[in-house]
């Protein structure tokens, strides 16, 4: 597109000049146009003249009786209106961004959290933040972190600690792990299972890439489980995992928030709870350090803590790590 230069610098029309011209194009009368946009008539006339000079074309045909648009003026009036409309939309969008809990929030959630916490999250957003356009993306941790770093995602709901530079964590809660097994299992129904019981149990885990798998393996190592003890990895999700347990293939560990959803559908399953201190995981929101919306995200985290107080978890105190 050609540019008009004055010396070594391009001449750009101002918004004030465009408003003056579109007002004249609409009213075809300088006095009426000036009154419509709150300018004096001399200022309006000067703005239109300055626009003609900047663009290098005559926009207005002035006569003693009336004002007419030149052919160029008729064409450029359409463009000028479009520019002003676009600027208006830009200002409206900026206002929406300045207002908290409006516009789009792209939330990434790990698969071992999404089915059990999203009902609480969605209910909170619906009731408290009706103008927020929440978009949920369920992905594994590594993909979520990549999306956050690239700006594809705004906020993450996942297990921590992450230990990733440039990512700040807003703690939400801590929850215990529960041992899930066949109803006839000798540990079924107990509330004082020692961690050492994990040393020899046939443990079923999620596939590689799930943070819950890594957490379970860490728990097993802490319990003294040797690398040679049998660990069967065949499941891509917790629902499949518990059905394998019901089929007699082994036992597994579930986070407390998942137990009711995953075990209530099968009478062949039972649970057992570990003696204190039980193995546990921490769940938090993750955001880019220094994110423009950090105050909004911190407020959102506090609201989530309150909403999750009814779940079988230990809610964290407010704070950012």
């Amino acid at each position: 597109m050609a540019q008009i230069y004055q010396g070594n610098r391009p001449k750009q029309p101002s918004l004030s000049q465009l408003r003056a011209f579109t007002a004249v194009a609409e009213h075809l009368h300088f006095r009426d146009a000036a009154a419509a946009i709150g300018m004096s008539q001399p200022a309006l006339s000067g703005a239109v003249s300055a626009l003609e000079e900047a663009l290098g074309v005559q926009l207005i045909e002035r006569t003693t009786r009336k004002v007419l648009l030149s052919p160029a003026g008729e064409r450029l009036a359409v463009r000028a209106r479009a520019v002003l409309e676009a600027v208006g939309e830009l200002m409206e969008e900026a206002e929406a961004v300045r207002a908290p809990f409006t516009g789009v929030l792209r939330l990434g959630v790990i698969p071992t959290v999404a089915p059990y916490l999203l009902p609480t999250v969605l209910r909170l957003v619906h009731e408290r933040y009706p103008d927020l356009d929440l978009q949920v993306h369920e992905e594994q941790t590594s993909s979520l972190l990549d999306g956050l770093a690239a700006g594809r995602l705004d906020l993450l709901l996942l297990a921590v600690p992450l230990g990733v530079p440039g990512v700040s964590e807003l703690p939400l809660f801590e929850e215990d792990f529960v041992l899930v097994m066949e109803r006839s299992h000798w540990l079924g129904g107990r509330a004082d299972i020692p961690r050492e019981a994990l040393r020899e149990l046939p443990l079923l885990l999620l596939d590689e890439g799930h943070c819950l798998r890594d957490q379970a393996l860490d728990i097993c190592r802490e319990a003294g489980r040797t690398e040679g003890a049998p660990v069967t990895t065949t499941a891509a999700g917790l629902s499949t995992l518990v059905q394998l347990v019901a089929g007699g293939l082994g036992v597994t560990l579930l986070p407390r928030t998942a137990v009711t959803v995953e075990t209530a559908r099968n009478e062949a399953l039972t649970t057992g709870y570990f003696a204190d201190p039980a193995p546990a995981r921490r769940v938090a929101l993750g955001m880019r350090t220094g994110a423009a919306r950090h105050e909004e995200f911190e407020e959102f985290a506090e609201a989530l803590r309150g909403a999750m107080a009814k779940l079988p978890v230990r809610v964290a105190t407010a704070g950012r790590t």
Side-chain angles (χ1 to χ4, degrees), residues 99-103 129-133 293 295-297 299-300:
F101 303 106
T102 60
Y129 311 118
D131 295 326
L132 186 65
D133 180 9
R293 301 171 70 181
E295 292 183 357
E296 178 182 347
F297 294 160
E299 183 179 338
F300 187 51

Side-chain angles (χ1 to χ4, degrees), residues 34-249:
I37 61 174
M39 290 181 73
S40 68
Q41 190 170 330
L44 179 85
S45 180
V48 173
S49 296
L51 179 62
E52 290 177 319
E53 181 181 352
L55 297 178
V57 294
Q58 182 179 349
L59 303 172
I60 303 294
E61 295 181 6
R62 301 166 176 83
T63 70
T64 57
R65 289 187 164 185
K66 56 184 178 180
V67 176
L68 298 175
L69 292 180
S70 69
E74 291 179 353
R75 291 179 58 184
L76 294 180
V78 176
R79 295 280 188 168
R81 292 190 191 97
V83 169
L84 293 175
E85 289 174 2
V87 170
E89 292 171 357
L90 174 67
M91 298 302 294
E92 290 176 2
E93 186 67 21
E95 179 65 27
V97 170
R98 288 196 300 270
F101 303 106
T102 60
V104 175
L105 174 60
R106 298 163 297 181
L107 176 68
V109 191
I110 57 174
T112 57
V113 162
Y116 321 113
L117 297 186
L118 278 180
T120 300
V121 174
L122 296 176
R123 189 180 309 113
L124 172 70
V125 170
H126 176 73
E127 294 176 355
R128 188 174 299 190
Y129 311 118
D131 295 326
L132 186 65
D133 180 9
L134 182 66
Q135 299 177 2
V136 177
H137 302 261
E138 184 184 48
E139 302 169 24
Q140 292 186 7
T141 300
S142 59
S143 177
L144 292 180
L145 290 172
D146 289 343
L148 186 69
R152 178 173 61 85
L153 299 172
D154 303 310
L155 197 61
L156 308 181
L157 179 57
L158 72 180
V160 296
L162 298 169
V164 177
V167 178
S168 296
E169 299 168 10
L170 302 170
L172 294 178
F173 63 83
E174 183 177 75
E175 63 176 330
D176 292 340
F177 281 103
V178 176
L179 191 65
V180 179
M181 65 210 94
E182 283 185 282
R183 184 164 294 279
S184 60
H185 198 280
W186 64 280
L187 290 174
R190 289 183 55 175
D192 59 349
I193 300 174
R195 293 194 189 200
E196 291 74 18
L198 293 171
R199 291 176 180 174
E200 302 300 332
L201 292 173
L203 190 66
L204 299 173
L205 299 176
L206 292 174
D207 290 336
E208 295 280 356
H210 289 276
C211 61
L212 187 60
R213 171 193 172 91
D214 297 331
Q215 292 162 350
L217 289 174
D218 287 342
I219 293 168
C220 291
R221 280 190 287 269
E222 292 170 3
R225 188 184 183 99
T226 63
E227 293 296 332
V231 174
T232 304
T233 304
T234 55
L238 293 183
S239 295
T240 302
L241 203 60
V242 297
Q243 295 311 311
L244 295 175
V245 171
L249 297 186

